Amino acid sequence: MSQKVVFLPGDGIGKEVAAGARQVLDECSGRHQLNLQVEEYDLGGTAIDKHGEPLPQFVLDACLESKIVFLGAVGDPRFDASPPHLRPEKALLGLRKALELFANLRPIRTYSELIDASTLKREVIEDVDILIVRELTGGIYFGEPRGLETRSGNRVGFNTEIYADYEVERISRIAFEASRLRSGRVTSVDKSNVLESSQLWRVVVEEVAKDYSDVKLDHLLIDNCAMQLVARPRSFDVLLTNNMFGDILSDEAAMLTGSIGMLPSASVGATGGEGRVGLYEPVHGSAPDIAGQDKANPLAAIGCVALLFRYSLDRDDIACQIEQAIEKVLSEGIRTGDIAVAGSRVVGTCEMVDAVLERL
Ligand code: IPM
Ligand code: MG
């Protein structure tokens, strides 16, 4: 029996890191006789160029059918002035919504070898191990009404931050369940001192917490959380956030690890078992400034392949092998430019991929 995996390289460095991730996937699949069939499709700006829209229906259908999707990155400055439905980012948002990927898991772990690549002090970031559980299909990203209008002669832009109780409940459950496999602590992030949507968020999280009396729950306001995250990052276990706060905090948390080029993420949806779709994407974007120059760090994308084996194929063993190969490469001082320090052997994207493959 063969299992399809859809690869969506997307734009910019997405193409380069996806190629590397695919090599790692193929290697593991071959070695463990898994018979994974990779199919590649255009997405984002690349799809606008070729098919006139960022997320063509046939691409979406392929994702729905395969249930396992790898995404490189989307984003291309050529479309900066385009209307929202013709921007590359729309592909990502449309995919998350259509596949009902309401939970985005972003593990933030510092590699001891990379401590010096961070701008923060060693004693602050050593042994950081956080899981950001970000709500991904609701909130201000999708809330209606939204738009650009002229009101009384003034141009206005507006969006709606809105959450229904069931949306908060299901993402909370993911966070509580995840924390049980870790150190059993959840910090829920909100802005309940100002926003009604956050007041509901906090109430529902408290209700869900009653089913998880073994998990320790606390709440932090987003502004304070942003500060605590760099002040005492080691004290966090699972960070539960809405869509917007998770977007911001995950970029901030990336600096704890030295580079956003190191962070993989997994997005999962509603139904368990058969219906469940997993989308794996690096947290970094398409980085048009370095695209096509063999400079991108492929380790986040390769880390995504590890998550893919862990969450969609139930092969924690293979996931661990990939993660160990990454650690091995780092411990030998092999680095792409973004994580290089004095004395590193600086390599390009392809060479980094080869280095990981050799150590697998
Ligand atoms: C992310 C990205 C996306 C987001 C963009 C590209 C739409 O920043 O995945 O964090 O805001 O969700
Ligand atoms: Mg982001």
Side-chain angles (χ1 to χ4, degrees), residues 74-75 89-90 92-93 96 104 106 134 136 141 243 246-248 250-251 265 281-285:
V74 292
E89 289 78 8
K90 177 71 194 175
L92 185 54
L93 300 175
R96 289 171 177 171
N104 183 218
R106 299 189 158 179
R134 170 190 176 192
L136 205 58
Y141 273 55
N243 203 344
D247 180 46
I248 299 167
S250 55
D251 269 31
S265 87
E281 52 173 317
V283 172
H284 65 69

Side-chain angles (χ1 to χ4, degrees), residues 42-43 53 73 75 122 140 147 151 156 165 177 212 228 252 267 270 273 321 323:
D42 300 317
L43 191 79
E53 49 183 333
R122 168 178 289 272
I140 200 163
R151 292 182 190 170
V156 297
D165 50 4
E177 295 286 343
Y212 299 88
Q228 302 300 340
E252 186 189 357
S267 303
Q321 285 165 14
E323 287 164 353

